[in-house]
Amino acid sequence: MKKLINLLRGYVEILVTGAFPERLLNLCAQNRLQFWKLCWLDETSFTFRVALQDRKRLDELAQRSMCELSERKRRGAAVVAAGMRRRWGFLLGLGLCLLAVSYLSRFVLVVEVTGNETVPTAVILSQLQRVGVRPGAYGPGVREREAANAALMGLPELSYMAINIYGTRAEVVVREAEKTPELLREDVPCDVVAAADGIIEEIHADTGRAVFADGDIVRRGEVLISGEIDLKEPEGGTVDLGYLVVHAAGTVTARTWRTLEESVPLTAGVKEYTGAEHKQYGLRLLWFDVDFFENSSILGGRYDKIAQTRKLTLFDRTMPAALTTVTYREYTVREEPIDQDEAAARLERVLMVRLEELMAARQGEVLHTDVVTRIDGGRLTVTLLAECREEIGRTVEREGQVGLKKR
């Protein structure tokens, strides 16, 4: 601790020579002048250190003890500060740097978004930029609550947003809105029709009248559950009660047969790179884009475009500065026959993915599949035949209005 204090206030190392140098030590002790790091060189000389502020008092005591003093070195913060008095340019530059840092620290350099899962961060940042929250914005000039409300108006996928600015960092906390189930519009007359051909395994009408029964064969587009309900007259009655038009709803599970097909040419183009390359560079700083490359033209013919962006990071945070390198690689194309087995397997995987997506949308399952491969007209064709169980009911609006109707 004492060493640190001595460095802060500054000290000077003195070489003392004289016939009786110990007298100087006695006078320093009598006058309470502190010294340390005493080192005897011989009987008539020694070195020690004293505080910079006691230098003049030491000269007086040296005269009284008839000793000569010579400085060896000066150290400490006070010595550095005294040396800076003559370096006005450095002090001015230091002051300007401190002023610039204190002023620039009030601008937003990083915008961080947290809490989003399905809504892309780029979409949120784009909307924030429209309301003035972006790298380079003046932090104290951003009205956080008003900006958050304005951004939410353009993002219906979000239910909550809060903007907190901490120095050069803007933290944006969001919460995604829960999807509300689609309400059944009972005031719109509808029928439930078949979305595919099949054999009905189970039909259940919540509202409306089931036109078919279990085991019936239906074709695509036929009405399965009608929104028109006949009102039966009481036995012996002579008055026609008419019919009731409603919004038909229900479920229809059927066994269906799906046919999916994909084809590819028997030859494919293979790239051969010529070795010719062309590079372009771009710099993005805050919201400014600067292109600096020798020639803006690109190679003729065919080429691949490869872009690499290196962002500046500081203390594990991404700064609003990035260097982009775009490389253009020229190539030619030659035709070569494809591996038919590999192509057939790839097409089969594509068709299976399509079938799974179709069944997921219809809440169905695949019971059995067959694959047929053929070559026709210079193309390889793969056909997937699938037996499925799925929901085939589809709600379709009909003309008129709901309510009681007369014939």
Side-chain angles (χ1 to χ4, degrees), residues 81 85 135 159 172 210 236 278 286 292 298 335 361 364:
R85 293 177 182 176
S159 62
V172 182
H278 179 75
L286 296 179
F292 49 95
I298 58 177
E335 294 292 330

Side-chain angles (χ1 to χ4, degrees), residues 296-310:
S296 60
S297 62
I298 58 177
L299 299 173
R302 296 185 175 96
Y303 59 89
D304 280 341
K305 180 179 178 181
I306 305 171
Q308 294 180 335
T309 301
R310 298 179 180 178

Side-chain angles (χ1 to χ4, degrees), residues 303-376:
Y303 59 89
D304 280 341
K305 180 179 178 181
I306 305 171
Q308 294 180 335
T309 301
R310 298 179 180 178
K311 295 183 178 180
L312 175 65
T313 57
L314 185 63
F315 303 112
D316 295 331
R317 296 188 182 277
T318 302
M319 297 290 103
L323 176 64
T324 301
T325 304
V326 181
T327 304
Y328 298 91
R329 300 179 62 191
E330 187 181 25
Y331 66 88
T332 58
V333 179
R334 74 171 189 274
E335 294 292 330
E336 285 190 358
I338 64 173
D339 186 331
Q340 296 184 11
D341 294 335
E342 182 181 351
R346 183 172 66 252
L347 292 180
E348 183 178 347
R349 289 194 296 268
V350 171
L351 293 175
M352 287 301 300
V353 171
R354 285 176 52 190
L355 180 62
E356 291 173 0
E357 292 176 351
L358 182 61
M359 290 300 102
R362 295 292 181 182
Q363 301 177 359
E365 59 177 333
V366 179
L367 303 178
H368 179 71
T369 59
D370 284 321
V371 179
V372 177
T373 303
R374 70 179 188 275
I375 297 176
D376 186 17

